[in-house]
Amino acid sequence: MSLSERWLTVPDLVDLLGVSPGRVHRLFEQRTLLAARVGGVLRVPVEFLDDAEPLPELRGTLIVLGDNGFTDDEAVRWMLAVDDAIGDSPINALRAGRKAEVRRVAQSLL
């Protein structure tokens, strides 16, 4: 999976967010951030962050994807790939303020 140009590991996130590794894992559990296994290591695409914080619009979309049965790896892949219904990647659309559209498309996925 190489859809992101830059991936952050848990130690990277600890440094960037200024929190403990346990807190980073809680962010994953709460669906505030989502990691995928890349090369056997949990990594988060840098696009999921806004400055040094998780992108606020991300959580609701990640919950919808999880409710639709997406694994974490599948959800990360969908967020980064261009979706025809959106005309861009869902993460780019979220960053552009198109949260309702992204969630509507995510809810239609099975």
Side-chain angles (χ1 to χ4, degrees), residues 69-87:
F70 277 59
T71 66
D72 290 354
D73 287 351
E74 290 168 339
V76 168
R77 194 173 304 118
W78 182 78
M79 290 295 299
L80 295 173
V82 172
D83 185 280
D84 291 339
I86 297 171

Side-chain angles (χ1 to χ4, degrees), residues 21-88:
R23 177 69 181 132
V24 170
H25 286 282
R26 278 192 298 285
L27 292 172
F28 297 154
E29 291 167 10
Q30 297 166 347
R31 309 299 266 185
T32 302
L33 273 179
L34 195 61
R37 289 216 174 264
V38 180
V41 176
L42 279 178
R43 297 178 190 267
V44 172
V46 72
E47 293 90 343
F48 286 9
L49 297 170
D50 185 19
D51 294 320
E53 294 292 324
L55 187 67
E57 297 82 2
L58 190 60
R59 184 171 187 267
T61 303
L62 297 178
I63 290 170
V64 169
L65 293 171
D67 288 350
N68 279 352
F70 277 59
T71 66
D72 290 354
D73 287 351
E74 290 168 339
V76 168
R77 194 173 304 118
W78 182 78
M79 290 295 299
L80 295 173
V82 172
D83 185 280
D84 291 339
I86 297 171
D88 199 350

